[in-house]
Each structure stands twice: as C-alpha cells, then as structure tokens.
Amino acid sequence: MEETPRSVGEASTTNFVVARPSAKTDDAVTMRGCGFGNFGVDREELRRRIVMPEYLRLAMRDCIKRKDSTAVPDHLVLPGAAAAATEELAPHTPMVVFINPKSGGRHGPVLKERLQQLMSEEQVFDLTEVKPHEFVRYGLACLETVAAKGDECARECRERIRIMVAGGDGTVGWVLGCLGELHKEGKSHIPPVGVIPLGTGNDLSRSFNWGGAFPFAWRSAMKRTLHRATLGPVAKLDSWSIVVSMPSGEVVDPPYSLKLSEETALDQALDAEGDVPPKAKSYEGVFYNYFSIGMDAQVAYGFHHLRNEKPYLAQGPVTNKIIYSSYSCTQGWFCTPCVSNPGLRGLRNIMKIHIKKAYCSEWEEILIPKSVRSIVVLNLDNYGSGRHPWGNLKPNYLEKRGFVEAHCDDGLIEIFGLKQGWHASFVMAQIITAKHIAQAAAIRFELRGGDWKDAFLQMDGEPWKQPMKTDYSTFVEIKKVPFQSLMINGE
C-alpha cells in the first residue's frame, strides 16, 4: 500500500498540502526562488517561527557531538511534570539548515554566518563538520529521546521540523538519502526538504520553485527564503535505487552516494545475456534527478576533476558553466573524426537496455539508436540548468508512443538520448527535443567492453569512470524506491 503524506509525517503541521510543482517560466521561478518578493519579513517574527528553545538546541548539539542520541545532559532534560508546567512552546515550524561550503562559488562560510544570525548557531550545520546521517541518527533521535521523557515541546519540534539545504543537487540528494533511513525504520514524521540553490544546475531547486541561481542580493533574500520555507506546501518526489554489479577485482572510485554492497541485488526474473562473472562486486545507491551514461558523463568527469585540482576556477555557477562548455569542446563530442573507431561514436556497440513498463512484470529489450552517444534517465522535468529535453509532448504523440505525461511523482522515469554535441546543444537551447527512447518503471543496462576500456557514468551530477571487461558484463539496474521523498514547494 502506498504511503500517504499524513502517514509519513507532518500530520501536525498546519501547512501540509501535497502539491505538484507548478509550471512556470524559468525567469519567474528563479526570481521567486531566490527570494525576491514584494513583502518584508520581520526578523524577530521569523525567529519565533523557526528557532527551537535553547535547551533543545543544546541537547541536539551534544548528542551529535558525542554520536549518542541518549547522551542528553541531565540539566537539559526536564521531568515530565516540570516539562508540562514550563512555558516553553514549540515554534510554528522549527527548522535546520545544512550548508555545503564548496557550493555557490565557495560562499558557504559567509552564508553560514548570515544564517546563524537569522536563526541560531546550533540549527545551522556545515556539512564538512556534521554529516546528514549524523543529524538523523543523533539529532532527530535526541528530540525523540527527550520527548519520550514527557517533554511536549520536544515532541512537537520533532513532528514539525523542516530542513533547508544550501547546496547543489548532489547535496540535496545526500540529505534526502539520509532521511530515507527513517522510512526504512518505519518512522513517522519525515522532515520535508527545501533548497537554497548554490549549485551549478540546481534542477531539483527549479523543479520545486526555489529558483535556479545563487541570488546576488542574498543577504536580504535569505529572510524571505526561510519565511517561505515555513509556509510552503509539501510535494512528493520519486526516488530511484541503482545497483552497479561488476566483475570482482575491478577498481572503481564511485561517488559518495554509491556504497559497496555485500550482495548482488539484481532482478533474477531477467536472465543475463552476457557472461556473468563467477564473482561480482556490487554498489548500491539512490538518485533523485538523473542518471546518465556516455559522453555527457565523460565531460562531467573531466570537469569534476579539473575543479578539484584547481578550486580557484570554481568561482560561481556562471564561471562553472563557461568552463564546462569549453571543456566539452575538447572531449570529441562535437567532432569525432570519421577515421575513429565506430565504437567511439555510439553506445549501442557496448550496451543493451531492458525495461519494465508501467504495470508490467515482464522485461523487454529496447533498441538504442545507433547515433546516440549519451543516454539519460530523467526523473525530473528539469535537466541541465532548467532545460526540458523531454519536451512538452502533445497528447497524440504520447498516445502513439505509449507514453504518459511525465511527472516527478508518477512512478515512471524517462529515457532519452543525445547524439553528437551539436544535437545536444540544440536540445539544451530547447530548439528541438531529445531522442525519446522509452518510459519505464525499471531499467537494466548491460555494458560490455571491447572498443571502449572504460565507460563514464554519472548520477545526480556525481560522475565516475567505470572499467569494463571484454570477458564479462557489467550491469546497472534501476528500480523505484518503495517510498517517496518529501519536498517543500517554494511557490
């Protein structure tokens, strides 16, 4: 049975309304998402709405520091009767903020200071110091510990709490993934997540009306952004599990969102057509925006390493986009010489795709267009800094192809292809749509080496190089996570 919004949390929050992101122009979403509105926000009123009582903030801080959700100092825990008699009231919408200091042109430290002025020091977390899973395991659990001792304020704070993430799509996905552990444990009141867009693409932020760029007037915009986060309705977001199974002994440096798994969890209903290695090594993870294989991931991989080697180049989203575009011209996407091996000019030489369609238990193979050099699996409407490569398809075309209108909470994921760089450029300019391949409820990619020694993959903006064997296949399987994440709609 699918979980309802009330069953997964926010039952006590008056502004809980499940809402799909509305269709707006990119400019309108960016302006509103960055906090440019026609109203002022009183700082003290904002603090009353989002700042938790000091004794709870200190208790959470100590539990996270000690990595023990029960390590609440005695002087911070009120006995049941005393707690009921106090005048401490839970704020309307208690809130915490995570900041990725590497995002937003390295403005994290300054932004952190501004947020601490608006909120409190204990409710703003630097991700280089406190990881999201530590907050979930020890911070939220601390509130549950105090609430179990009869503290009504702690109980209400735990039920009403919301989270804002100041970072890019990868950072938001990291936080959502850690909150997913609460679903697995059967916990109620899962905190919804809003976004302060500090990344380069910010497609998750765009999809939920938080805007697509770091605001120039961010100091004044921050109050309005936090205020909107207390009022915004909650929307659902599908998330997708991914399993990468490869021959044992292969050396790979996956992104932090992929974790080594002890077991290979591939669907046994589909027999592997390639040679399965006698021993396999598997990684598992979750993505929320997109997964891709091919040239776009290769460009992202090179850019990612260039930025890490020369961090002074990462001065902001605009600079990143210029460098990214320039770098893509050097990787052969725009011009691959005709004398080059055909294996360099198409993915169908090294890959097969099987899918499960909606409400269907059988796997079927789909053909890869021979000219496609990059395949993208897209969950959101936005991709590549607010572009819409899937397009706004007409009803007769949807019916002809057996597609339905795409939404981020429909249990389906879109698969499209990009050809050479010129084709990708026209798609990104929204002159044409991408090459529609399929709409699926589950996907399996089978990669086999040969002309290519390595394949390039990326997941929510985190690329890696995947070695391939000529003797054995590497499998990538994607399935919908049985629960949905909760997002705050910034509209």
Side-chain angles (χ1 to χ4, degrees), residues 286-344:
V286 176
F287 70 91
Y288 303 86
N289 188 347
Y290 69 92
F291 168 81
S292 70
I293 301 176
M295 185 59 77
D296 72 315
Q298 180 176 340
V299 173
Y301 180 82
F303 171 76
H304 182 78
H305 280 266
L306 177 66
R307 186 174 59 178
N308 286 341
E309 293 172 1
K310 301 178 180 180
Y312 56 85
L313 294 177
Q315 296 300 318
V318 175
T319 305
N320 285 345
K321 289 174 184 176
I322 293 174
I323 297 174
Y324 192 96
S325 300
S326 302
Y327 189 83
S328 66
C329 296
T330 69
Q331 298 301 297
W333 197 1
F334 283 86
C335 183
T336 302
C338 295
V339 296
S340 295
N341 193 307
L344 298 176

Side-chain angles (χ1 to χ4, degrees), residues 425-438:
S425 297
F426 286 133
V427 171
M428 292 297 103
Q430 304 188 106
I431 298 173
I432 59 175
T433 59
K435 186 74 174 178
H436 299 131
I437 296 178

Side-chain angles (χ1 to χ4, degrees), residues 346-365:
L347 288 176
R348 68 186 304 176
N349 297 291
I350 63 162
M351 185 168 65
K352 293 181 179 180
I353 304 178
H354 289 80
I355 67 168
K356 280 185 181 181
K357 293 184 177 179
Y359 311 111
C360 182
S361 60
E362 299 296 325
W363 289 94
E364 65 176 88
E365 184 176 358

Side-chain angles (χ1 to χ4, degrees), residues 376-411:
V376 180
V377 178
L378 185 63
N379 186 38
L380 301 178
D381 180 48
N382 289 279
Y383 171 80
S385 301
R387 275 50 173 198
H388 309 290
W390 187 256
N392 185 20
L393 306 183
K394 296 181 179 180
N396 58 345
Y397 180 81
L398 291 172
E399 184 178 359
K400 178 181 177 181
R401 294 295 305 269
F403 296 158
V404 297
E405 187 176 352
H407 293 286
C408 65
D409 60 352
D410 59 4

